[in-house]
Amino acid sequence: MTLETENSTEVEVKTGIDADVRTNGYKHFAEISPFENSSKEFGIEVLSDVGDKISIQTRLSGSIKDWICETSAETVFSKGRIQIDAGEKLVVEKRSFVKTSRDLVSSSDNDLRDIEKLSFEELLGENNKVWEKRWEDSDVVLNGNNYAQRALRVSLYHLLRAHVPNDSRVAIDAKGYAGEAYWGRFFWDTEMYLLPFFTATAPEKARTLVDFRVQSLEGAKQNAKRYGYNGARYAWESDSQGIDCCPNWQYGDHEVHITADVVYGLSYFAHATGDLDYLKDKASEVILETAKYWMERIDINTKTKQPVLLGVMGPDEYKAISNNNFYTNLMVKFALETAASIAKEKKAPESEWRAYEKTAEMLPLLKREDGLYLQCEGFDDLAEPQFEVLWKDRSKPFAAQVSQERLYRSKCLKQADVLMAMYLFPSRFSNEELQKAWDYYLPYTTHDSSLSTAIHAILACRLGKMDESWKFWMTSCGIDLDGGAAEGIHIAGAGGNWLVVVFGYAGLLSPLESETLTFNPRIPEQLQSIEFPLCWRNAKVRGKMSKNIVRIENKGETEIDVTVWTKTKSIKGAEAISWEL
Amino acid sequence: MTLETENSTEVEVKTGIDADVRTNGYKHFAEISPFENSSKEFGIEVLSDVGDKISIQTRLSGSIKDWICETSAETVFSKGRIQIDAGEKLVVEKRSFVKTSRDLVSSSDNDLRDIEKLSFEELLGENNKVWEKRWEDSDVVLNGNNYAQRALRVSLYHLLRAHVPNDSRVAIDAKGYAGEAYWGRFFWDTEMYLLPFFTATAPEKARTLVDFRVQSLEGAKQNAKRYGYNGARYAWESDSQGIDCCPNWQYGDHEVHITADVVYGLSYFAHATGDLDYLKDKASEVILETAKYWMERIDINTKTKQPVLLGVMGPDEYKAISNNNFYTNLMVKFALETAASIAKEKKAPESEWRAYEKTAEMLPLLKREDGLYLQCEGFDDLAEPQFEVLWKDRSKPFAAQVSQERLYRSKCLKQADVLMAMYLFPSRFSNEELQKAWDYYLPYTTHDSSLSTAIHAILACRLGKMDESWKFWMTSCGIDLDGGAAEGIHIAGAGGNWLVVVFGYAGLLSPLESETLTFNPRIPEQLQSIEFPLCWRNAKVRGKMSKNIVRIENKGETEIDVTVWTKTKSIKGAEAISWEL
């Protein structure tokens, strides 16, 4: 801080640390120890309720004199009161050094003295270098629309900020560490909305997210046990140990798709990075233990002898306890298919992987005679939601205007459910099936969840409905920007905003469904072009796409194949190739 | 209290009032004012958190001297310490007078002085007179089985004790005012398990129970409004204003049958007492307002155009959110039939009562092709409960040994559901239908609820399964006697124990289904005979029934018809007639 004055004046400068920090009113600090080495060097050490230690050490320097330091039970403050004469320049520098017992690089011997010789500019430069690299790896350039560019960069900033480098003991919590809602817990957001961005821009960061699920397997086993099952059951709201902390039983008990989503995430990571050994090695226990859980959780219908998955909540959380939810069944099929192949590779008894294969094959995806995939049993016998009568204020969620009881018996959707499944596995469904589901479910969909509009933007794009796609994307981009960030950042929405550009407009095919890097781009008319970096298996490319031309630059050294709208071309290392559309 | 001693000794006597009284830890007293008129006359006045005043005034008399009185913020105690010589006799009398701002007979001017001239024996005599009358009106004599006799009398005692005479501002709470569980709230127990006993033994007491629902209509209207409906919606857990206080949404939101149960209760009372004007007059608003609610709560299936009742919990609370629950639909049919007839009588527009009639007629009772009535849609597609594997300790509820999630997706029943409906409306179902339901549901029924076994005892009796009936009844009789009363009395179970004798063994037909007083008795071999008093419309009878002979004494003055196993006889006033079986 630099102080200058035109007229002589007296200034008080006060700075310090206040350890009275609470989460939703709860105090996590068991012990707080302020300390004072001198009036200009002080700090606080705290011991958290789970035994972690955090210390902040602060030193002041500069030309203000007469500092005094005051400590109380939970604070330490230093202040100086000084006369500045006209034209005089006062510089105050405050340096803080934070270390914790959870630091991956042990800093027990380090302190402020280690950065003593570095100037403020040198320290700032170190920080800038890290951020420059982050932006280089991930920035998406949207030419022709400043609002969209700004909105997307806000999303990217929060994604980059919220990831904890090298630390697989945590993922990214629902509010991107920027708010107290959900108490910092981890949801399916990780796999569905965050992992693709990190896999595509910084695979080493994606790895900490999937490793987080591997390291919290023990918690998932405890969850399974608590519910009376063998195997592993991932938490709807996971703490860092994997234990389910969901305060409302309807989600914690019934939103079981998370356990399949985790396997989807592991598989997505392995295929997107090309590290297929990850599934056989580190992730295999997760895949096999969750399969064990599914085999007990799935019932056999006594009349039809078919496997069924009863009493679940899908992504549409407005159907609390439904049977054979489309999304959940499809994800469980995928998880069991994955488990069968791992069990086979691991030379497990044939009966085991055959059972996984058979259950995956027989678990139903309900389809009406007219070809519509049904969200769950009896979905089309539910009540009409009567939006025109009951949803009076469209600026507020439908759920805020009707009782939960009505939500639970009505056809209203909170977010994509059948459509979410179709978004994830496009090659399993025809365009006609997608169109039918779109036409049926969209009028019933409230988009009350911040996770909804990005997925709809991508699917609208696939169906060639570019105006609708743009509208959905703009809604998604506005969630935090337009006043929704009061309780923290909707970090899944931030990831979703990136998904729209790369899986929607650039039309990237899922690494789970395509060996070759493939784009089917549709650039909305609101944009002149999009530019983005992308990691794909071992390759690294940079794409630039406009309505008429697609240019892919191979940023690596090895030749790669790239397909754009069915035309495959090879690109040598450090070269670029274009497609005219 | 009388003290005598063989050897001289010193005795301390201490007595007083402690107003530190809490309900589940919650303190209902806003102000506590102990007072002391003299060392032998003191008391406490309290003001409750809802503005009620309660005062207790106590006076000591007797030969102990040297009393001193001590008050603290919430207590007042008086004590004396005195030497008693051998052979001496000390008598201490403590008289207390309680008055409250809720007293129906204003006692503002009364106090201890009004009973000054009455001796202890006279006061005790007054109390005894009240209790003699109560027992005379209601005692059931069971010859031949002491355990059953004792158990039933315990139940009758608690029923008689828990009813608050002349006060329709309250009903009888779930724990019979003998425990803190459920916070003193009122459930469907009132209509289903308590009302028949009081109607049959003390109609003026039954009247306060139905009047309670009439006076709490305003609360029911508020409940409806809160859920987004017009009309009246009775509370699953009602406070004295009728407001729903249920802390768990699955019951409060979905166990909507209570609103129809209330109408059933009103109608039951009117038919059993013969006061049919009650329905047209006092109860009519309840009947019509609840019908208004049902007409909004019922949906029309878009495919079949049939009325359906979606998202409900029936008496079997292990199916949290089910569609077209058998019991609920039957009760709603009954409620709408009742509303139609009242609306017709009240000259409401024809369209209104026609709509009630049509909805009542079309609301489905699901029946399988093999004739089984289904508890709800898809019930027989639910998971097998696997009792043999999962219910290891049969001395504890099934629900205590598996997760709620498993309960909710399995065929296990907490208590009678289809069978409960058949118990209430026997003439609507054939014996074959009852038998089929019995055979299907009983193996799935856990009887985890204390409300279950009494109903099964009655139905077993109807099916001629007397041994099963007895076993179920004995289980029901043992609920509180054998250690279940820790949290209060299962007052509905107490009512159920009486139901078994009168509706089971004596085989009384429901006043809703029979104009004539009719018995189809089946006396279990564990009893020689049963004797009971009974009010029926304007008549009063006393029945004595053994395996071979039924004797009915007309305790009134007017001749009445009585049917026993299809043989109808007239009994003149003050006469008795027998049937040989």
Side-chain angles (χ1 to χ4, degrees):
Chain A
M1 182 180 62
T2 305
L3 294 167
E4 280 181 286
T5 172
E6 285 179 20
N7 303 307
S8 296
T9 185
E10 201 185 52
V11 175
E12 187 186 79
V13 178
K14 184 177 178 185
T15 183
I17 308 161
D18 183 350
D20 183 13
V21 177
R22 287 152 201 258
T23 309
N24 299 311
Y26 181 83
K27 203 163 185 165
H28 279 289
F29 297 159
E31 286 174 26
I32 298 174
S33 317
F35 62 86
E36 177 192 345
N37 293 336
S38 74
S39 61
K40 291 168 76 177
E41 187 177 311
F42 52 85
I44 289 189
E45 268 192 18
V46 298
L47 180 70
S48 81
D49 52 358
V50 292
D52 292 322
K53 279 185 196 156
I54 309 146
S55 86
I56 306 183
Q57 189 188 3
T58 289
R59 195 188 309 165
L60 303 168
S61 62
S63 40
I64 296 186
K65 303 205 168 59
D66 302 327
W67 287 103
I68 54 162
C69 192
E70 289 170 349
T71 60
S72 75
E74 303 191 343
T75 61
V76 53
F77 280 96
S78 187
K79 64 180 178 184
R81 194 172 175 83
I82 200 159
Q83 181 72 28
I84 316 181
D85 293 328
E88 198 183 338
K89 196 176 190 175
L90 267 174
V91 177
V92 182
E93 195 178 281
K94 175 181 176 181
R95 292 183 172 210
S96 289
F97 191 92
V98 181
K99 57 187 178 185
T100 82
S101 59
R102 285 174 63 91
D103 291 346
L104 290 164
V105 178
S106 168
S107 55
S108 58
D109 298 334
N110 299 87
D111 69 8
L112 274 172
R113 270 158 253 284
D114 296 298
I115 52 168
E116 217 164 37
K117 287 179 198 117
L118 296 172
S119 67
F120 172 77
E121 286 69 25
E122 283 167 324
L123 288 168
L124 180 64
E126 275 189 21
N127 181 69
N128 287 347
K129 228 164 36 185
V130 171
W131 275 95
E132 271 160 26
K133 172 79 168 76
R134 287 180 178 179
W135 282 110
E136 187 189 317
D137 287 344
S138 59
D139 188 34
V140 175
V141 179
L142 302 176
N143 294 304
N145 194 302
N146 286 337
Y147 176 82
Q149 178 69 80
R150 183 169 71 99
L152 186 59
R153 282 195 175 137
V154 167
S155 292
L156 298 182
Y157 165 72
H158 285 296
L159 289 164
L160 295 171
R161 172 191 61 68
H163 182 274
V164 184
N166 307 316
D167 194 345
S168 64
R169 295 168 305 177
V170 292
I172 298 177
D173 85 299
K175 289 296 173 186
Y177 297 114
E180 298 177 21
Y182 302 113
W183 293 79
R185 289 171 193 140
F186 312 112
F187 288 70
W188 71 320
D189 307 18
T190 308
E191 280 73 19
M192 295 300 150
Y193 292 85
L194 305 176
L195 191 60
F197 166 75
F198 288 108
T199 311
T201 59
E204 77 285 359
K205 293 189 176 179
R207 189 177 292 272
T208 72
L209 299 181
V210 285
D211 279 355
F212 168 74
R213 297 302 192 179
V214 173
Q215 70 86 29
S216 59
L217 175 63
E218 197 43 51
K221 284 183 181 173
Q222 285 179 39
N223 296 334
K225 204 170 174 188
R226 188 160 58 84
Y227 277 93
Y229 301 99
N230 290 302
R233 183 189 192 281
Y234 276 84
W236 180 245
E237 294 193 24
S238 178
D239 70 7
S240 58
Q241 317 293 306
I243 300 295
D244 205 332
C245 301
C246 186
N248 299 304
W249 63 262
Q250 66 265 46
Y251 310 107
D253 283 6
H254 296 284
E255 205 153 353
V256 290
H257 63 76
I258 179 64
T259 295
D261 300 338
V262 164
V263 170
Y264 171 91
L266 299 174
S267 194
Y268 183 96
F269 171 79
H271 284 86
T273 59
D275 181 8
L276 292 174
D277 285 345
Y278 187 78
L279 296 180
K280 278 190 298 184
D281 300 337
K282 218 168 175 188
S284 66
E285 203 186 342
V286 172
I287 295 166
L288 296 174
E289 289 295 317
T290 54
K292 222 183 264 177
Y293 162 72
W294 287 122
M295 295 304 281
E296 294 191 11
R297 181 60 179 76
I298 288 167
D299 294 299
I300 303 299
N301 184 291
T302 48
K303 291 183 286 182
T304 64
K305 311 294 176 205
Q306 295 265 343
V308 288
L309 192 43
L310 306 176
V312 309
M313 178 187 272
D316 167 21
E317 293 177 323
Y318 294 164
K319 303 288 107 19
I321 307 179
S322 67
N323 297 333
N324 287 317
N325 169 258
F326 184 86
Y327 172 88
T328 309
N329 280 17
L330 184 59
M331 296 307 284
V332 173
K333 276 170 177 286
F334 177 85
L336 288 176
E337 287 161 7
T338 308
S341 79
I342 296 297
K344 217 184 286 187
E345 266 193 85
K346 292 254 171 194
K347 312 276 182 231
E350 183 172 344
S351 61
E352 184 184 321
W353 53 262
R354 285 262 185 238
Y356 296 161
E357 275 182 355
K358 196 180 155 203
T359 306
E361 193 194 322
M362 291 179 72
L363 201 62
L365 297 178
L366 302 176
K367 197 173 188 176
R368 285 204 318 205
E369 277 187 14
D370 66 356
L372 176 76
Y373 281 109
L374 267 188
Q375 184 177 314
C376 59
E377 273 166 25
F379 183 87
D380 52 354
D381 285 323
L382 293 175
E384 289 299 312
Q386 303 177 61
F387 290 148
E388 65 291 349
V389 183
L390 299 169
W391 197 357
K392 281 166 193 141
D393 180 356
R394 295 284 172 132
S395 73
K396 296 202 179 76
F398 181 57
Q401 291 164 69
V402 296
S403 67
Q404 178 179 284
E405 168 259 288
R406 190 187 285 278
L407 290 180
Y408 282 1
R409 73 171 208 266
S410 301
K411 285 175 193 160
C412 55
L413 276 72
K414 186 174 184 185
Q415 65 195 92
D417 194 300
V418 170
L419 289 175
M420 182 75 190
M422 290 182 166
Y423 150 70
L424 290 178
F425 295 102
S427 73
R428 296 202 186 194
F429 305 97
S430 71
N431 247 31
E432 200 196 335
E433 287 171 329
L434 174 59
Q435 181 72 54
K436 213 177 257 289
W438 178 272
D439 291 342
Y440 184 80
Y441 293 106
L442 189 59
Y444 291 132
T445 304
T446 62
H447 308 294
D448 280 359
S449 163
S450 62
L451 308 185
S452 190
T453 43
I455 303 306
H456 282 87
I458 295 169
L459 293 172
C461 185
R462 279 195 203 149
L463 289 168
K465 300 169 190 293
M466 296 311 291
D467 277 356
E468 276 190 79
S469 174
W470 185 262
K471 270 186 215 154
F472 279 124
W473 192 46
M474 284 300 101
T475 306
S476 183
C477 283
I479 289 169
D480 285 323
L481 273 188
D482 299 344
E487 293 191 308
I489 294 299
H490 292 84
I491 201 71
N497 290 338
W498 178 89
L499 291 173
V500 174
V501 177
V502 174
F503 285 87
Y505 302 146
L508 176 67
L509 288 199
S510 167
L512 287 170
E513 296 198 330
S514 174
E515 276 298 313
T516 308
L517 175 56
T518 302
F519 298 99
N520 296 324
R522 287 186 182 87
I523 306 304
E525 61 183 22
Q526 289 84 352
L527 297 174
Q528 281 156 22
S529 67
I530 61 175
E531 290 177 58
F532 56 91
L534 186 77
C535 301
W536 176 268
R537 311 209 196 276
N538 295 314
K540 218 170 160 180
V541 303
R542 184 167 179 83
K544 180 168 181 178
M545 302 179 176
S546 64
K547 204 176 157 89
N548 304 317
I549 195 157
V550 167
R551 181 179 183 277
I552 304 292
E553 185 186 349
N554 182 348
K555 304 284 280 186
E557 290 168 8
T558 317
E559 186 170 345
I560 53 161
D561 285 351
V562 177
T563 305
V564 175
W565 284 115
T566 73
K567 279 181 208 150
T568 306
K569 300 184 182 184
S570 280
I571 314 178
K572 290 209 172 67
E575 288 193 358
I577 283 187
S578 294
W579 284 253
E580 286 192 31
L581 304 180
Chain B
M1 183 179 62
T2 306
L3 294 167
E4 280 181 286
T5 171
E6 284 178 20
N7 303 307
S8 296
T9 185
E10 200 187 54
V11 175
E12 188 187 78
V13 179
K14 184 177 178 184
T15 184
I17 308 161
D18 182 351
D20 183 13
V21 177
R22 287 150 201 259
T23 309
N24 299 312
Y26 181 82
K27 202 163 187 165
H28 280 290
F29 297 159
E31 286 174 25
I32 298 174
S33 317
F35 62 86
E36 177 191 347
N37 294 337
S38 73
S39 62
K40 290 168 78 178
E41 186 178 312
F42 53 84
I44 289 190
E45 269 193 18
V46 299
L47 179 71
S48 81
D49 52 0
V50 291
D52 293 322
K53 280 185 195 155
I54 309 146
S55 86
I56 306 182
Q57 188 188 4
T58 288
R59 195 187 311 163
L60 303 168
S61 63
S63 41
I64 296 185
K65 303 207 168 53
D66 302 328
W67 286 104
I68 55 162
C69 192
E70 288 171 349
T71 61
S72 74
E74 303 191 344
T75 62
V76 52
F77 279 94
S78 187
K79 63 180 179 184
R81 195 171 175 85
I82 202 159
Q83 181 72 27
I84 317 181
D85 292 329
E88 198 185 339
K89 197 175 188 177
L90 267 173
V91 177
V92 183
E93 195 178 281
K94 174 181 176 179
R95 293 182 172 212
S96 289
F97 191 93
V98 180
K99 57 186 178 186
T100 81
S101 59
R102 286 174 63 90
D103 291 346
L104 290 165
V105 179
S106 169
S107 55
S108 58
D109 299 332
N110 300 87
D111 68 9
L112 273 172
R113 272 159 252 285
D114 296 298
I115 51 169
E116 219 162 37
K117 286 177 202 122
L118 297 171
S119 69
F120 172 76
E121 285 69 26
E122 284 168 322
L123 288 167
L124 181 64
E126 275 190 19
N127 180 69
N128 286 348
K129 231 169 27 191
V130 170
W131 275 95
E132 272 160 25
K133 173 80 168 78
R134 288 181 178 178
W135 282 111
E136 188 189 315
D137 286 344
S138 59
D139 189 34
V140 175
V141 180
L142 302 176
N143 294 305
N145 194 303
N146 287 337
Y147 176 82
Q149 177 69 80
R150 182 169 69 98
L152 185 60
R153 284 197 174 134
V154 168
S155 292
L156 298 182
Y157 165 71
H158 284 296
L159 290 163
L160 295 171
R161 172 191 60 69
H163 183 273
V164 184
N166 307 315
D167 195 344
S168 64
R169 295 168 304 177
V170 292
I172 298 177
D173 85 299
K175 289 295 174 187
Y177 297 116
E180 298 177 22
Y182 302 113
W183 291 80
R185 290 170 193 142
F186 311 112
F187 288 70
W188 72 320
D189 307 16
T190 307
E191 281 72 18
M192 296 300 150
Y193 292 85
L194 306 175
L195 191 60
F197 166 75
F198 288 107
T199 311
T201 60
E204 76 285 359
K205 293 189 176 177
R207 189 178 292 272
T208 71
L209 299 181
V210 284
D211 280 355
F212 169 73
R213 297 301 192 179
V214 172
Q215 69 86 28
S216 60
L217 175 63
E218 197 41 52
K221 284 183 182 174
Q222 285 179 38
N223 296 333
K225 202 168 173 190
R226 189 159 56 84
Y227 278 94
Y229 301 100
N230 290 301
R233 181 189 193 282
Y234 276 85
W236 180 245
E237 294 193 23
S238 178
D239 70 7
S240 57
Q241 318 293 306
I243 301 295
D244 205 331
C245 302
C246 186
N248 300 304
W249 64 262
Q250 66 265 47
Y251 311 107
D253 283 5
H254 297 285
E255 206 154 353
V256 291
H257 63 77
I258 178 65
T259 295
D261 300 338
V262 164
V263 171
Y264 171 91
L266 299 173
S267 194
Y268 184 96
F269 170 79
H271 284 86
T273 60
D275 181 8
L276 292 174
D277 285 345
Y278 187 78
L279 296 180
K280 279 190 297 184
D281 300 337
K282 217 167 174 189
S284 66
E285 203 186 341
V286 172
I287 295 165
L288 295 174
E289 289 295 318
T290 54
K292 221 183 265 177
Y293 162 73
W294 287 122
M295 295 303 281
E296 294 191 11
R297 182 61 178 76
I298 289 168
D299 294 299
I300 303 298
N301 184 291
T302 48
K303 289 182 287 181
T304 64
K305 311 295 176 203
Q306 295 265 342
V308 288
L309 193 42
L310 307 177
V312 309
M313 178 189 272
D316 168 21
E317 293 177 323
Y318 294 165
K319 303 286 108 19
I321 306 180
S322 67
N323 297 332
N324 288 317
N325 169 259
F326 184 86
Y327 173 88
T328 309
N329 280 17
L330 184 59
M331 296 307 285
V332 173
K333 276 170 176 287
F334 177 85
L336 288 176
E337 287 161 7
T338 307
S341 78
I342 296 297
K344 218 185 282 187
E345 265 192 84
K346 293 253 171 196
K347 312 275 183 234
E350 183 172 343
S351 62
E352 185 184 320
W353 53 263
R354 286 261 185 241
Y356 296 160
E357 276 182 354
K358 195 179 156 203
T359 306
E361 194 194 320
M362 292 179 72
L363 202 62
L365 297 179
L366 302 176
K367 197 174 189 176
R368 285 205 317 205
E369 277 187 15
D370 65 357
L372 176 75
Y373 280 110
L374 266 189
Q375 183 177 314
C376 59
E377 273 166 24
F379 183 88
D380 53 354
D381 285 323
L382 293 175
E384 290 298 313
Q386 303 177 60
F387 289 148
E388 64 292 349
V389 183
L390 299 169
W391 197 357
K392 280 167 192 140
D393 180 355
R394 294 283 171 133
S395 73
K396 298 203 179 76
F398 181 56
Q401 290 164 67
V402 296
S403 68
Q404 176 178 283
E405 168 259 288
R406 190 186 285 277
L407 290 180
Y408 282 1
R409 73 170 207 265
S410 301
K411 284 174 193 161
C412 55
L413 276 72
K414 187 174 182 184
Q415 65 195 91
D417 194 300
V418 170
L419 289 175
M420 182 75 190
M422 290 181 166
Y423 150 69
L424 291 178
F425 295 102
S427 73
R428 297 200 185 196
F429 305 97
S430 70
N431 246 31
E432 199 195 334
E433 287 170 331
L434 173 59
Q435 180 73 54
K436 213 177 257 290
W438 178 272
D439 291 342
Y440 184 81
Y441 293 107
L442 189 59
Y444 291 132
T445 304
T446 62
H447 308 294
D448 279 359
S449 163
S450 62
L451 309 185
S452 190
T453 43
I455 303 307
H456 282 86
I458 295 168
L459 293 172
C461 186
R462 279 194 202 150
L463 290 168
K465 300 170 190 291
M466 296 311 291
D467 278 355
E468 276 190 76
S469 174
W470 185 263
K471 270 185 214 154
F472 278 124
W473 191 45
M474 284 298 101
T475 304
S476 183
C477 283
I479 289 169
D480 285 324
L481 273 188
D482 298 344
E487 293 191 309
I489 293 299
H490 292 84
I491 200 71
N497 290 338
W498 178 89
L499 291 173
V500 175
V501 177
V502 175
F503 285 86
Y505 303 146
L508 176 67
L509 289 198
S510 167
L512 288 170
E513 297 199 330
S514 173
E515 275 299 313
T516 309
L517 176 54
T518 302
F519 298 99
N520 296 324
R522 288 187 181 86
I523 306 302
E525 61 183 21
Q526 289 84 352
L527 297 175
Q528 282 157 22
S529 67
I530 61 176
E531 292 177 58
F532 56 91
L534 187 77
C535 301
W536 177 267
R537 312 210 197 274
N538 296 313
K540 219 170 158 178
V541 302
R542 185 169 179 83
K544 181 170 181 178
M545 303 179 177
S546 63
K547 204 174 156 91
N548 304 317
I549 196 158
V550 167
R551 181 179 183 277
I552 305 292
E553 184 185 351
N554 183 350
K555 303 285 280 185
E557 290 169 10
T558 317
E559 185 170 345
I560 53 160
D561 285 350
V562 176
T563 306
V564 175
W565 284 116
T566 72
K567 279 182 208 149
T568 305
K569 300 185 182 185
S570 281
I571 314 177
K572 290 207 173 68
E575 288 195 0
I577 283 188
S578 294
W579 285 253
E580 286 192 30
L581 304 180

